[in-house]
Amino acid sequence: MALAALVLVCLASIAIGAKGLPVADVWHGLFHYEGSGDDVLVRKVRIPRTVLGLIVGAALGLAGAVMQALTRNPLAEPGLLGVNAGASAAVVSAISFFGVTSLTGYVWFAFAGAAIVSVAVYLLGGSRSANPVRLALAGTAVTAALYGYVNAVQLLDSAALDRLRFWTVGSLASANMETVGKVWPFIALGVLLTLLIARPLNALEMGDDTARSLGAHLTRTRILAMLAVTLLCGAATAACGPIVFIGLMIPHLVRAITGPDMRWILPYAAVLSPVLLLGADVIGRVVARPSELQVGIVTALLGGPVFIHLVRRKRMSQL
């Protein structure tokens, strides 16, 4: 069922857009490319956009599931470790101080910023003695400081503000196969890491003492989990900007289907997260024709009520 939904949303992403195309023209662009305007739209714009949405959605969903297991917090999402803030700070620095203007130019800055901040958060959280609370507090503090820096640079440099504003919203609109080629190796490595640590994450969710009694290596598991989140969320943020709530909503939905076993949660999250991301992207293209609404705005509009519901349910369960 999940795979069927993924196939359907991929077909919708290719066939539906800000410009309406008959099914025959979409088919022609896919299988009989001749270089016409509609053929280029299908082959050079919508297919790369769909492919990027697939890998970015999977990355964000997996990162969210790992973050919630790592921090034992059902309201956690990838930005909690400062990954989005680190990428944003690196990109605004690249634009303002180094004159970088293209996505393919600053993708490496974004990824490096995410990686550096993740390491800094781990060290500030206590390194080998890190625990979920200290990691969350360190991530929150670093995120606040970095977003203050980002806002200051944008206020002082209007050109940087103009170039950065669409990236900070989160969008698939600038997708191309060059960007896909730059980020997919990092996402693939992050996916591999998450699958390798699925069993230790199950133990970690039961608490440190229980995890030790089950033979889990806590420090190694946390380091690998943070590395996986950095690779997944850093590469996704570099390619599309900080897209919120995917990593929060999908793991909750998946747990309702699979139960608490991370060995099932991770594969399902990797399939259903692109469904949500590409579905939101299609909605954004349709509701504002002939323009489009950025996918980061759509996911925020969808995710806000879900987040409020989760908070209220958590509070009620504690009463």
Side-chain angles (χ1 to χ4, degrees), residues 39-237:
D39 286 353
V40 170
L41 178 61
V42 172
R43 186 74 66 88
K44 303 295 184 181
V45 177
R46 291 187 182 176
I47 289 180
R49 187 169 183 159
T50 302
V51 173
L52 187 62
L54 278 172
I55 63 174
V56 165
L60 293 175
L62 287 172
V66 172
M67 275 298 305
Q68 290 175 15
L70 178 66
T71 62
R72 297 197 290 273
N73 182 355
L75 302 180
E77 56 95 25
L80 192 65
L81 285 185
V83 175
N84 290 348
S88 298
V91 169
V92 76
S93 299
I95 291 173
S96 186
F97 302 128
F98 298 101
V100 179
T101 58
S102 67
L103 175 64
T104 54
Y106 60 65
V107 63
W108 297 109
F109 284 90
F111 186 78
I116 291 170
V117 168
S118 293
V119 173
V121 167
Y122 180 70
L123 294 176
L124 290 172
S127 187
R128 291 182 178 275
S129 61
N131 59 53
V133 174
R134 295 179 67 175
L135 287 174
L137 290 174
T140 301
V142 170
T143 296
L146 288 177
Y147 275 132
Y149 165 77
V150 169
N151 291 332
V153 172
Q154 290 183 95
L155 288 174
L156 295 173
D157 188 345
S158 59
L161 173 60
D162 290 338
R163 289 193 290 267
L164 190 66
R165 57 181 177 171
F166 291 110
W167 184 86
T168 55
V169 170
S171 174
L172 295 173
S174 300
N176 56 61
M177 295 310 294
E178 185 177 359
T179 301
V180 172
K182 286 182 181 294
V183 301
W184 82 261
F186 299 105
I187 292 177
L189 181 57
V191 170
L192 179 61
L193 276 177
T194 60
L195 296 178
L196 289 175
I197 62 174
R199 189 184 296 272
L201 284 174
N202 276 336
L204 198 64
E205 281 193 299
M206 300 178 186
D208 289 2
D209 293 337
T210 303
R212 288 192 189 94
S213 67
L214 292 173
H217 194 296
L218 299 186
T219 300
R220 181 175 61 197
T221 301
R222 288 190 174 118
I223 290 174
L224 291 177
M226 291 188 65
L227 178 58
V229 170
T230 300
L231 289 168
L232 293 168
C233 197
T237 304

Side-chain angles (χ1 to χ4, degrees), residues 5-33:
L6 182 60
V7 171
L8 287 175
V9 79
C10 286
L11 293 175
S13 180
I14 295 172
I16 302 172
K19 179 182 178 181
L21 291 179
V23 174
D25 290 349
V26 174
W27 182 269
H28 189 277
L30 285 173
F31 300 106
H32 306 285
Y33 182 80

